[in-house]
Every structure is written in structure tokens, then in C-alpha cells.
């Protein structure tokens, strides 16, 4: 699964930074190993996959349960062809694999396969076969002793995980399908029950992403990765993204952790913005997406990981307020917080949507005071937009599909309000120096929708669309066609991220602009 958008949708300077990281990989001191799962039907397919990803990984796991049966007889030749440390695994379907034949055939495959030079063999915790284990050790391979829990974290907690390491060289491995932030906390705490030494902990599914990226920070032996469309387990991230965006091999016990919380959050652009900036500035830090269902369960996780700063997105911008030790005026005025910074006394909250909204306007309008603006929408983002405009002395008309919400917002900030229909169109005719579109109509799944189709642009308006996926919505496209000055959602996103990055690090997000190269956003 790709957890972040295609690089093509990111600003050019982010992509450059990612490439510069990919070209300068001479580290790997304290980081975890990155292990590519090979799930092809033939050994030849697997070799091709390995070749394409060799630069990003340290080792690979041959998932022999995915192989066509007639390929199995060549298993022992694969390590020499692969030329990289390998794990041999034949995973049963009960443990999340593809193998559905008898247990004796499975052991036979493992016994014959180990005649090749595999460095590791993955055996399930409930597999007792002393002769097989001795053969593996005699061949100089280490045993990864694994438990896979797809039926809830409780079933994993109830097992004797302390005894997974039977010989000093064994590597205990826990893998659980994680269905909530609370379960993620439980899984990470289970690490304390595993004996000291090399160990593996995998949170499967979108809630488990933290464990896949932060293996080095958690002191784990490895993290598994797979190419898009060839996942061996739910929630795996592709090697290029892990290495390029998250700089997996630079993450160690002292790496500072930042991130974005939301639900869902996998689509977030923010890791592709903050991580290249850390890289460019040589800061030992990583920025990760963290799926959070109950906000209360995020804070124990933050303590455990020593998280220093967080971006907050839907649906937590309000629920997070109860956890703040201090906040700035914009948070008080909007009732929304999109940035958390950890201080010695607790969490400090800010709202960078306010400054992030205003910054891209500056080149278009010198003075907002006395101008008349229409804001379409009355949700969380509209609140920050309306507050920003009123703070600068702009008169505001709020139009919303649900007019009562427009009225409530208008009362809070002394604005005019109306419905999002023909009546709203005539009201907007006298509030059209600036038109700001803040509804989610036009975004991703609703990308055909135009929330204000009856409004005809004069071409004189400044039109600001805050939706950033797709880069041009139908609403913005009409405004461009009418000759309006336009501002895109990505400009606001980058501007608010810049303010967050300054709060996190004290430094600007962007490189100094190169004279003569124009706008590097
Ligand atoms: P929200 O609180 O859920 O509010 C959604 C708003 O959209 C409400 O006013 C809702 O109207 C309206 N709406 C939804 N579907 C609509 C439709 N089909 N036609 C007309 N109106 C519709 O969401 P939010 O936090 O304000 O976010 C809104 C958008 O802003 C999202 O796309 C988000 O990604 C974007 N955003 C961008 C940035 C940036 O940096 N560029 C920052 C923040 C947010 P009702 O009240 O009638 O339901």
C-alpha cells in the first residue's frame, strides 16, 4: 500500500530533496534492517522485484508459500542468485499466508530449502520440530520465532510471548492486526515482555504504520516492506517510500519523532513536505502519519515515542483542545487547533491554518481591510478563514449548504450569511472582491462537484480554493476560465506547514529562493 501520494503531486523542491536522500545513502549505523517481502509466483519474478528494489533494502524474505509448487524444488539455489541476506518463510493460511497443504509437506519444503544459504528461517511459535530446528542452526541460520494475531491484540497478549526465544540466537517476532490506537499502544508495550536482544514487532493494518516506519526508533531488528500491489501483509509500505520519504535507514533511537494525526490519515501530503525539509537541514527527525480514532489514546503513544510535535487534521482539531496546557489566540478564537508542540509542562496548541490562509493572499491583496469577501462553507476550515479575514478588517458573507451553520458562524464573527443557492448568488454579487471556497465539494471522491455552480465569475474576483486534491477543482477551473486571479489549496497547505515547521524546529520549511528561478512552490 502506498501511504503517501504520488511524488508528482508534490512541489518540485520536495521531490528534489527526496532524490538527494536516495543518492546519498552511506549510513545504517543504528537503524533497523529493511526487509523486502518477495511474493512472486516464480523465483524469476522475485529476482526481478529484488533487482528493482535492491538500493532501498538490506535483506529479503522469500515467501515460499506464494510460489507455484514446481518452483519449490529450486529454493536452495535462490540465495546465491539473490546475493542479499534472505529469510525463508512458508506461511500457513491460518497465520496470514498462502500455504494450504499438509504440515509435513511444509516442513519438507523448509528442510530442503535450508540446504541453500538462507540467513534466517521464520518458524511459527507453535511449531515444535527439534530436528528441523537443529538442521537450521547447523546450517548457520537464525530462527525467527513468530506469532501472527489477526483476531485481536488480546489473543496475542494472552500468549507466552516471553518464551518465544528458545535459544539465545533466536529472534522473537510479534505481528498483530491493529484496529485502534489503543491496540497500537498495547502492541508497543508488549515489546517490554520480549526478552532483550534482536526482536521484531509489526502492527499490521493502517493503525500499525507507526511500527513499520519507526522500527529503528523502537530498537527493532527489522521492518518488512513490499512493492505496491504485492503486499505480504496488510499495511506494508513500499521500499522507495520508506527509504526516500521517511529516510528509514536514518531512523535510530535518538531520532526525534513528529507526525500528523487524523482519521483517516494515510492520504496526507504532510510527510512528503516535512521529511524532505528535515533532510535538507540535516535534522535527525522523522515525520509520520498516525491514524488516531480516540484522541485520548494518542497521548500515551506520544509519551512512549517521545513525540515532539504534531499536525492535527480531521476529526481531531476540536477534540484535542482538552489536552492543551497552553494555546495561542487563534486557537481560542477559532476553537480549533491544528498544531501541537511538546514543552516541558505539556502540550502547547496553535492554529497555523490562520497564518497559512493569509500568507498566499498577500501577493494578491495589499490591504484586506475594507474589502468584501464571500466564504463558501461553514465547517472547521471556514472558521479559521473567517477569523483570519475578520481579524484583517474584511467584511465577510458566509454561504453554506446548511444555512443554520452559516448563521452560527456569522454570529460568532459578526458577518453576513445566507444559503448556497440563487439567493446566495445575488448576495455574493456585492461581496466579491475575494471568494474563498472552503467546502469539501470538489475534493477527491467528490471531484466532479462545484458547490456554487450558479455563480458567474466576472473575472475581477480573487478566487481562493482551499481544497488541494485535486490541484484544480471544477470551481477553480471555472474561475481560471473567467480570468480571475486564483490561489490554490496547495499554497495554503505549504504555508501552514511552513508555520508548523518553524514551531517544530525554529527554521523555515523552504530553501532560500534562488534569485531568477521564480516561485519555488
Ligand atoms: P468540515 O468541517 O467537515 O466542513 C465541510 C464543509 O463542506 C461544510 O460547510 C459542509 O456543508 C460543506 N460541504 C460538504 N459537502 C458539500 C457539498 N457537496 N456541497 C456543498 N457543501 C458541502 O471540513 P473542513 O475541515 O472545513 O475541510 C473542508 C475542506 O478544506 C477539506 O477538503 C479540507 O481538505 C480542506 N482544507 C484545506 C486546507 C489547506 O491547507 N489547503 C486546510 C484545512 C482544510 P454542511 O454544513 O451543509 O454539511
Amino acid at each position: 500500500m502506498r501511504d503517501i501520494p504520488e511524488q508528482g503531486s508534490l512541489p518540485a523542491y520536495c521531490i528534489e530533496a527526496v532524490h538527494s536522500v536516495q543518492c546519498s545513502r552511506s549510513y545504517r549505523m543504528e537503524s533497523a534492517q529493511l526487509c523486502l517481502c518477495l511474493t512472486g509466483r516464480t523465483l524469476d519474478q522475485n529476482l526481478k522485484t529484488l533487482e528493482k528494489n535492491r538500493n532501498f533494502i538490506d535483506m529479503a524474505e522469500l515467501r515460499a508459500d506464494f510460489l507455484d509448487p514446481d518452483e519449490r524444488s529450486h529454493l536452495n539455489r535462490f540465495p546465491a542468485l539473490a546475493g542479499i541476506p534472505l529469510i525463508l518463510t512458508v506461511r500457513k493460511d491460518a497465520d496470514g499466508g498462502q500455504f494450504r497443504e499438509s504440515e509435513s509437506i511444509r516442513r519438507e519444503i523448509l528442510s530442503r530449502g535450508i540446504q541453500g544459504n538462507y540467513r534466517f528461517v521464520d518458524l511459527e511459535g507453535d511449531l515444535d520440530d527439534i530436528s528441523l530446528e537443529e538442521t537450521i542452526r547447523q546450517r548457520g541460520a537464525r530462527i525467527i520465532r513468530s506469532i501472527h494475531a489477526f483476531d485481536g491484540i488480546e489473543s496475542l497478549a494472552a500468549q507466552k510471548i516471553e518464551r518465544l526465544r528458545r535459544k539465545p540466537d533466536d529472534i522473537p517476532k510479534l505481528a498483530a492486526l491493529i484496529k485502534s490506537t489503543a491496540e497500537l499502544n498495547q502492541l508497543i508495550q508488549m515489546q517490554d515482555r520480549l526478552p532483550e536482544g534482536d526482536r521484531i514487532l509489526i502492527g499490521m493494518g493502517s493503525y500499525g504504520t507507526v511500527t513499520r516506519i519507526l522500527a529503528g526508533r523502537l530498537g527493532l531488528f527489522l521492518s518488512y516492506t513490499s512493492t505496491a500491489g504485492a503486499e505480504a501483509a496488510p499495511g506494508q509500505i513500499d521500499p522507495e517510500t520508506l527509504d526516500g520519504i521517511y529516510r528509514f535507514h536514518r531512523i535510530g533511537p535518538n531520532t526525534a519523532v513528529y507526525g500528523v494525526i487524523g482519521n483517516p490519515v494515510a492520504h496526507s501530503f504532510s510527510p512528503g513536505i516535512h521529511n524532505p525539509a528535515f533532510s535538507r537541514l540535516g535534522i535527525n527527525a522523522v515525520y509520520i502519519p498516525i491514524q488516531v480514532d480516540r484522541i485520548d489514546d494518542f497521548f500515551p503513544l506520544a509519551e512512549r515515542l517521545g513525540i515532539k510535535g504534531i499536525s492535527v487534521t480531521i476529526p481531531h482539531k476540536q477534540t484535542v483542545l482538552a489536552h492543551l496546557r497552553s494555546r495561542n489566540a487563534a486557537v481560542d478564537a477559532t476553537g480549533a487547533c491544528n498544531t501541537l508542540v511538546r514543552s516541558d509542562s505539556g502540550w502547547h496548541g496553535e492554529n497555523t491554518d490562520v497564518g497559512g490562509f493569509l500568507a498566499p493572499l498577500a501577493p494578491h491583496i495589499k490591504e484586506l481591510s475594507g474589502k468584501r469577501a464571500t466564504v463558501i462553507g461553514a465547517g472547521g476550515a471556514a472558521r479559521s478563514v473567517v477569523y483570519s479575514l475578520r481579524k484583517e478588517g474584511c467584511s465577510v458573507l458566509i454561504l453554506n449548504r446548511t444555512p443554520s451553520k452559516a448563521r452560527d458562524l456569522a454570529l460568532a464573527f459578526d458577518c453576513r450569511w445566507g444559503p448556497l443557492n440563487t439567493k446566495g448568488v445575488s448576495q455574493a454579487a456585492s461581496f466579491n472582491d475575494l471568494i474563498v471556497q472552503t467546502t469539501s465539494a470538489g475534493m477527491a471522491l467528490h471531484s466532479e462537484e462545484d458547490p456554487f455552480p450558479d455563480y458567474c465569475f466576472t473575472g475581477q474576483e480573487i478566487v481562493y480554493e482551499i481544497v488541494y486534491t485535486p490541484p484544480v477543482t471544477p470551481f477553480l477551473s471555472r474561475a481560471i476560465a473567467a480570468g480571475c486571479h486564483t490561489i490554490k489549496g496547495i499554497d495554503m497547505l505549504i504555508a501552514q506547514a511552513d508555520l508548523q515547521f518553524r514551531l517544530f524546529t525554529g527554521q523555515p520549511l523552504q530553501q532560500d529562493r534562488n534569485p531568477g528561478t521564480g516561485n519555488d512552490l
Side-chain angles (χ1 to χ4, degrees):
M1 185 186 85
R2 274 192 168 272
D3 264 0
I4 64 153
E6 293 295 331
Q7 288 179 11
S9 51
L10 290 173
Y13 73 91
C14 292
I15 298 166
E16 279 165 26
V18 170
H19 285 173
S20 73
V21 172
Q22 288 171 348
C23 296
S24 62
R25 296 171 61 249
S26 55
Y27 32 89
R28 307 200 171 178
M29 288 115 53
E30 296 178 296
S31 75
Q33 308 277 302
L34 190 53
C35 178
L36 177 67
C37 297
L38 298 171
T39 57
R41 291 179 57 188
T42 67
L43 294 173
D44 197 42
Q45 275 175 15
N46 285 326
L47 281 176
K48 285 185 178 136
T49 305
L50 193 54
E51 222 38 67
K52 277 192 198 142
N53 293 284
R54 196 178 282 280
N55 287 342
F56 308 120
I57 58 168
D58 307 287
M59 56 194 294
E61 178 189 45
L62 180 62
R63 286 290 301 267
D65 48 309
F66 280 80
L67 287 174
D68 288 340
D70 52 359
E71 292 283 309
R72 294 172 190 162
S73 47
H74 309 296
L75 274 183
N76 56 350
R77 286 170 40 210
F78 191 69
L81 297 169
I84 193 168
L86 284 180
I87 303 172
L88 176 61
T89 302
V90 190
R91 181 83 64 233
K92 294 181 289 187
D93 56 353
D95 292 312
Q98 300 280 313
F99 195 79
R100 294 183 184 86
E101 294 165 61
S102 73
E103 187 58 12
S104 59
I105 295 180
R106 193 166 81 99
R107 292 182 195 192
E108 172 66 22
I109 294 170
L110 286 166
S111 299
R112 280 211 264 127
I114 193 63
Q115 299 312 314
N117 189 20
Y118 288 89
R119 297 267 188 92
F120 308 89
V121 179
D122 187 316
L123 300 181
E124 292 75 13
D126 59 0
L127 191 147
D128 278 311
D129 187 331
I130 290 171
S131 135
L132 175 62
E133 290 171 31
E134 270 175 13
T135 311
I136 292 169
R137 292 195 179 100
Q138 276 162 12
R139 296 289 308 169
R142 295 178 71 185
I143 294 176
I144 296 174
R145 188 65 75 169
S146 59
I147 302 181
H148 293 80
F150 287 89
D151 54 352
I153 194 83
E154 299 304 335
S155 76
L156 187 60
Q159 300 205 41
K160 293 179 178 137
I161 58 177
E162 294 82 356
R163 295 195 204 153
L164 267 182
R165 179 174 286 131
R166 297 181 190 173
K167 298 278 179 187
D169 211 24
D170 288 357
I171 305 172
K173 168 184 166 186
L174 305 180
L177 184 60
I178 301 299
K179 301 191 194 92
S180 67
T181 313
E183 287 195 0
L184 177 64
N185 279 323
Q186 279 179 272
L187 179 71
I188 291 178
Q189 278 162 24
M190 258 181 235
Q191 193 180 348
D192 300 339
R193 286 177 54 193
L194 293 176
E196 284 294 322
D198 291 339
R199 42 197 180 184
I200 301 169
L201 195 75
I202 303 290
M204 294 184 281
S206 52
Y207 282 99
T209 298
V210 169
T211 61
R212 295 194 182 279
I213 301 173
L214 291 187
R217 179 70 172 72
L218 292 166
L220 301 172
F221 180 62
L222 64 73
S223 181
Y224 295 93
T225 175
S226 59
T227 54
E231 294 83 2
Q236 283 183 341
I237 304 170
D238 68 277
E240 194 171 350
T241 299
L242 275 174
D243 186 80
I245 297 288
Y246 294 108
R247 298 176 299 142
F248 180 88
H249 292 99
R250 287 190 185 267
I251 299 174
N254 298 320
T255 301
V257 181
Y258 297 86
V260 50
I261 57 170
N263 193 11
V265 76
H267 64 281
S268 174
F269 276 33
S270 298
I273 296 172
H274 288 265
N275 284 312
F278 287 140
S279 171
R280 196 166 43 242
L281 293 167
I283 298 173
N284 182 12
V286 63
Y287 182 103
I288 61 172
I290 307 173
Q291 188 171 352
V292 171
D293 52 352
R294 288 185 65 250
I295 192 71
D296 292 359
D297 293 330
F298 164 68
F299 290 95
L301 181 71
E303 285 303 317
R304 174 96 192 191
L305 298 176
I307 290 177
K308 292 182 180 302
I310 277 289
S311 311
V312 183
T313 187
I314 298 169
H316 297 306
K317 288 184 183 180
Q318 284 83 32
T319 57
V320 81
L321 296 178
H323 296 268
L324 300 180
R325 180 60 67 95
S326 59
R327 61 185 75 184
N328 74 347
V331 173
D332 273 331
T334 58
C337 167
N338 79 334
T339 311
L340 299 178
V341 183
R342 178 76 206 190
S343 71
D344 290 342
S345 57
W347 291 98
H348 172 73
E350 300 246 349
N351 184 334
T352 66
D353 282 339
V354 171
F357 167 72
L358 288 173
L361 263 176
H364 296 270
I365 303 185
K366 279 206 172 64
E367 187 66 60
L368 272 167
S369 177
K371 295 287 188 299
R372 294 166 72 82
T374 295
V375 173
I376 303 168
R383 214 174 163 83
S384 295
V385 167
V386 169
Y387 166 72
S388 310
L389 292 172
R390 294 294 294 134
K391 190 165 73 78
E392 298 298 314
C394 192
S395 300
V396 175
L397 165 71
I398 303 165
L399 302 178
N400 195 43
R401 182 178 61 179
T402 309
S404 59
K405 289 192 195 164
R407 181 198 58 211
D408 293 348
L409 188 55
L411 284 175
F413 293 101
D414 191 19
C415 303
R416 304 283 288 275
W417 61 276
L420 202 48
N421 57 21
T422 47
K423 185 176 173 218
V425 169
S426 48
Q427 288 175 281
S430 56
F431 281 83
N432 64 356
D433 293 322
L434 168 68
I435 299 186
V436 188
Q437 196 308 103
T438 74
T439 78
S440 37
M443 178 180 139
L445 290 176
H446 314 283
S447 62
E448 302 303 312
E449 288 183 37
D450 180 336
F452 206 27
D454 296 330
Y455 180 83
C456 292
F457 294 104
T458 65
Q460 300 306 307
E461 304 92 336
I462 295 168
V463 177
Y464 195 149
E465 167 66 89
I466 76 160
V467 169
Y468 53 87
T469 42
V472 180
T473 61
F475 178 79
L476 191 64
S477 169
R478 276 202 303 121
I480 293 168
C484 301
H485 292 277
T486 56
I487 304 169
K488 291 184 176 142
I490 189 76
D491 296 337
M492 174 175 168
L493 183 77
I494 301 278
Q496 67 78 31
D498 177 49
L499 295 172
Q500 288 185 330
F501 197 79
R502 288 170 195 260
L503 289 166
F504 294 159
T505 67
Q507 305 201 53
L509 181 72
Q510 299 159 48
Q511 282 173 307
D512 287 341
R513 213 172 277 167
N514 209 348
T517 59
N519 190 335
D520 59 2
L521 289 185

